Structures are given as structure tokens and as C-alpha cells.
Amino acid sequence: MSAEPFLPTPTAIPSAAPRYGVWLIGARGSVATTAVTGCAAVAAGLHPPTGMVTETADFADCGLPPLSSLVFGGHDTVDCPLPKRAEHLAAGGVLPHGLPAAVHAELLTADREIRPGGPPPGAPGDVSVATGDDGPARTQDDWIDAFAADIRAFVRRNDLAGAVVVNVASTEPAPADGALPPSSLYAAAALRADCPYVNFTPSTGLHHPALADAAETAGLPHAGRDGKTGQTLLRSVLGPMFRQRALAVRAWSGTNLLGGGDGAALADPGAAAAKNGGKERVLTDTLGTTPEGEVHIDDVPALGDWKTAWDHVAFDGFLGSRMILQTVWQGCDSALAAPLVLDLARLTLRARQKGLTGPLRELGFYFKDPVGDGPAALAEQYADLLTLAARLRDDAGAEGSGGGAEGPAGAEGPDGGDGGSGGDGRRDRRSPQARPDPRGGQDQHGSEAGR
């Protein structure tokens, strides 16, 4: 009798590693293009992760999604392909020469996942807004539905374990009426698509009174607003220094010279006012008083994506001796912002996985005007960030963050688990007026709004 042939014991085939989506509002802008290009370059080992806090030793065991697991998509109102946009940034010195070609496939893949944004610039802000293609007018709820459908389709199409929506679009003026501005329509769509939300801009986003209740009850983590990349980063260090050394600051003035899309957007006085609010607020919070002086922003198209920020600080020393400190910060906002966007996407996705809900106060380290009631000094904010890192580790249970409530223990995947309410933690933004429901359906009066 012949021997039976040897058949190895079947072994389980490991399942594919989960992938996570990063849905960028303003997906073809300089910051988004730099983030997508940089993520591909770092994941491939072409460049070190300079500027990425989440790639330092303190975050090594926090269970963050690997850079190689991130899939990009988004909304934008412009149609310049990402590979071409990256080439333009390389020509301007923002990206290394040759890098767009090296990661062309990744840029093309992300570009295919970008969908048309809206409402179109200049749309009316009273009732309905046109689609911009001779189609029927859309209400604000129609826009939210359409944006949310795009996000959900992105998650399904790519078989993602979860996704986060990050606003990196140009700054918009503060809304002058009760209508939801575009940034708030996108924020509402994130909630409706059951995705965490990060506002890296000073635009309204989730701060709109009409979205307060939805943000509190969505059971999702959110963070913002207005990324801290240069001048305000320095202020958050110098302000505490003056106060701790008992040096009386008499005046603090600043000027920003910048070009590119940000320069053009901030030439609008309303947008500039929204931007300057966070720059000035950090001084009040760190000094304990509001010094004389203002910040001025000048659009200098010749500078392209580069910025020069100058601060002039007048202060008193011992026996009234008058002194001056001047600082000059010259840098590229896109290169400063992109690693922070990747940090925030990874941290927020992990927070969702761990069941954290509501405003992530510990992410104040990244923002000029952070949600919640955390400190304004950078060193204290970094200590808070390390506290969040400890909560995100696998051996830590699900815990509430900032004003948010706990999600369910053992929530699985960044889309796993609902949580309790998660308020803003800074001020009461609720409004008695009718509110559109970001989770579906018309508001109680069927109101319509545009830009």
C-alpha cells in the first residue's frame, strides 16, 4: 500500500491590513498637495518625517494608522490635477525637485478620489444656491447630502476601516447671517457621513451655532481650529516667557507678508479678521492681558507659497528700562502645515477607534483657537498632547477627551462605537433658530441657505 502524500496543515492567510481615509476639503490646494506628496514620500522611505510629531518616540506605541495605510480623497472647486499641482509646487521650491515624478502614481490615485466642491464662489447666502452647471438650485441640506454621499462612497469604494474629514481650504470670512458657510456645510457632511472632523482653518466649520447640537450628539471626535504653524507658534512660546520672567509687555505688533492662494484669500478684510483673531487671542491667553498693537496681513503675490512674519515687542525691564524684541519668521506655510495635517488625521482616527468623542482638547497644541478650555502656552499644550498619547495606547481604556463623553469600551475600528455628547467646551454656541440636521432630513422650517 502506497504512502499517502504529505499535505501541509493549512495555515490561516493573514487578512489585509486595514486602510483609513483622509478626506481633504481643499484637496487640490498647496497644503493638501504637500500632505499627499509628503505622506507618499515618507511611507516609501524617500524622505524622513521631519515635522511630524506622531513619528517621534513619544507616539511610537499609540496604535496610530501607519502612513502607508492612508488613502486620500476630498472636495475642491478647482480642477487642476494633483500631479500638475505638485509640479508647480516643486518649481516654486515647496517640494523637492523630482519628488512629484517619484510619487506620481500616488498623486494620480488621490486625484481620482477628488469630487467637485461648492457652493460656487459668490453664491447668494439667503435662500437656495445654484449648482453652477445650469442645474436646479440646491438648498444647504442638498449640499450637505451630496457631500456626505461623496464621503460615504469613498469609504465603500476603497473598503476603508474609517475616515476623517480635514478642512484645509482657503480662509472664508465669518458668516454675516444665519446661513451656513461652505466650511460648515462640509463639517455637517462629515457628521452625516459618521466621520471625525478636523478644522485646520480659521473658517467657521463646526463652530456655527446651527451645528452645536449635532456636534454634541454625533458621538464623534472633532478638533480645531486654525493650524498653528509659524508666527502664532512663536507667540505661544514667547508669551509665557515674558509672563514667567515678570517682564511687562507694553505693545506687540506684527506683520505678515505672503502670496499664493492664502495671500489672495486673506486680502479679503473679513477673512483677514478671522485669521488675526487667533493670533491676537494667544497673546491675551498667555500674557494675562491684551497688549497694544495689531497684526497686519499683506498679499504679496511675488512671494508665492512663502511667508515672512515679523513681530515687534515693546516691554519694560527692571526699574522701567524700555526694551525691544524683534523676531522674523520666514518659511513655507504648506511645508509647515502638511506634517501637522497628517498628525491630526492619524490622531483623530485613533481617537475614534478608542471611542473618544466630542472636542479633543488635547490637540490644542496644533491650533491657534483650539476647542475646549485648555492652556495656550505651547509647553503646557504639549504636555496635554502626551496625555492624549497615553489614552490612545492599546493598554488604555476608552476615555472621554476634553468636553466629550466616553465612547463604548472596546469600540472596534475608527468607525466603531457611538459616544455621548461632546460639546465645544469654550462657549455656548447653541441658537434658538431653526437648524438643519446634519445627520439627515430638512431642518424644522425647511430653511435654505447658501454661501
Side-chain angles (χ1 to χ4, degrees):
M1 170 171 148
S2 62
E4 292 290 333
F6 171 74
L7 296 176
T9 303
T11 56
I13 299 174
S15 59
R19 301 193 304 163
Y20 304 92
V22 181
W23 189 263
L24 299 166
I25 309 304
R28 291 192 170 106
S30 297
V31 173
T33 305
T34 306
V36 174
T37 305
C39 183
V42 174
L46 301 177
H47 284 271
T50 305
M52 290 193 64
V53 179
T54 52
E55 285 294 299
T56 61
D58 287 331
F59 297 84
D61 57 351
C62 291
L64 303 179
L67 291 173
S68 59
S69 74
L70 300 183
V71 180
F72 294 92
H75 284 115
D76 209 320
T77 56
V78 301
D79 56 7
C80 178
L82 275 184
K84 186 174 183 62
R85 180 66 175 144
E87 290 170 5
H88 173 77
L89 292 175
V94 178
L95 298 176
H97 287 287
L99 183 57
V103 297
H104 179 84
E106 289 86 345
L107 289 169
L108 196 59
T109 298
D111 191 70
R112 291 180 180 133
E113 293 292 349
I114 298 176
R115 298 295 178 264
D126 48 5
V127 285
S128 58
V129 291
T131 61
D133 57 2
D134 298 324
R138 283 182 176 179
T139 66
Q140 63 180 17
D141 203 68
D142 291 336
W143 283 107
I144 296 169
D145 262 345
F147 294 153
D150 288 339
I151 298 168
R152 286 193 293 261
F154 167 68
V155 172
R156 289 194 302 270
R157 186 166 52 249
N158 292 282
D159 192 24
L160 302 177
V164 58
V165 176
V166 185
N167 182 17
V168 290
S170 296
T171 301
E172 66 188 14
D177 53 27
L180 294 179
S183 66
S184 295
L185 298 178
Y186 291 120
L191 300 185
R192 191 169 292 184
D194 198 32
C195 291
Y197 174 78
V198 176
N199 188 1
F200 200 74
T201 80
S203 300
T204 304
L206 277 183
H207 280 59
H208 199 285
L211 301 182
D213 286 347
E216 290 177 356
T217 59
L220 295 165
H222 58 88
R225 60 182 172 165
D226 198 3
K228 184 165 57 188
T229 60
Q231 185 179 42
T232 310
L233 177 68
L234 196 56
R235 288 179 168 207
S236 68
V237 174
L238 294 177
M241 178 197 75
F242 281 109
R243 188 172 187 178
Q244 291 161 6
R245 289 297 299 269
L247 298 172
V249 174
R250 293 183 288 107
W252 198 317
S253 301
T255 295
N256 277 243
L257 307 176
L258 70 162
D262 273 352
L266 294 172
D268 183 314
K275 186 76 172 177
N276 285 338
K279 291 178 177 290
E280 295 168 356
R281 189 175 300 111
V282 73
L283 294 181
T284 300
D285 291 345
T286 57
L287 295 173
T289 184
T290 303
E292 295 179 7
E294 297 179 345
V295 178
H296 297 275
I297 298 177
D298 293 333
D299 177 24
V300 185
L303 291 178
D305 286 283
W306 298 82
K307 179 175 79 173
T308 296
W310 171 71
D311 267 3
H312 183 281
V313 187
F315 65 98
D316 290 341
F318 191 52
L319 303 179
S321 177
R322 300 232 162 162
M323 307 185 198
I324 298 291
L325 170 68
Q326 296 186 58
T327 66
V328 178
W329 179 289
Q330 293 178 302
C332 175
D333 260 1
S334 299
L336 290 164
L340 308 186
V341 169
L342 296 174
D343 278 351
L344 287 163
R346 300 171 78 198
L347 289 165
T348 309
L349 284 165
R350 179 59 172 166
R352 174 66 162 139
Q353 184 179 15
K354 291 292 290 183
L356 305 187
T357 68
L360 297 175
R361 182 184 68 84
E362 294 93 338
L363 294 183
F365 175 77
Y366 292 98
F367 298 106
K368 296 183 183 73
D369 184 21
V371 296
D373 56 355
L378 190 70
E380 296 175 38
Q381 290 177 332
Y382 186 68
D384 271 359
L385 184 62
L386 294 183
T387 299
L388 177 63
R391 293 181 178 180
L392 298 181
R393 293 187 175 98
D394 283 327
D395 57 357
E399 300 178 39
S401 177
E406 279 191 21
E412 296 186 2
D415 283 334
D418 262 333
S421 64
D424 176 84
R426 181 178 288 274
R427 60 183 71 88
D428 187 357
R429 292 183 171 87
R430 286 174 293 181
S431 168
Q433 67 189 28
R435 302 182 179 93
D437 182 358
R439 292 159 297 170
Q442 298 285 344
D443 63 87
Q444 60 185 4
H445 295 298
S447 63
E448 302 169 330
R451 191 180 180 96

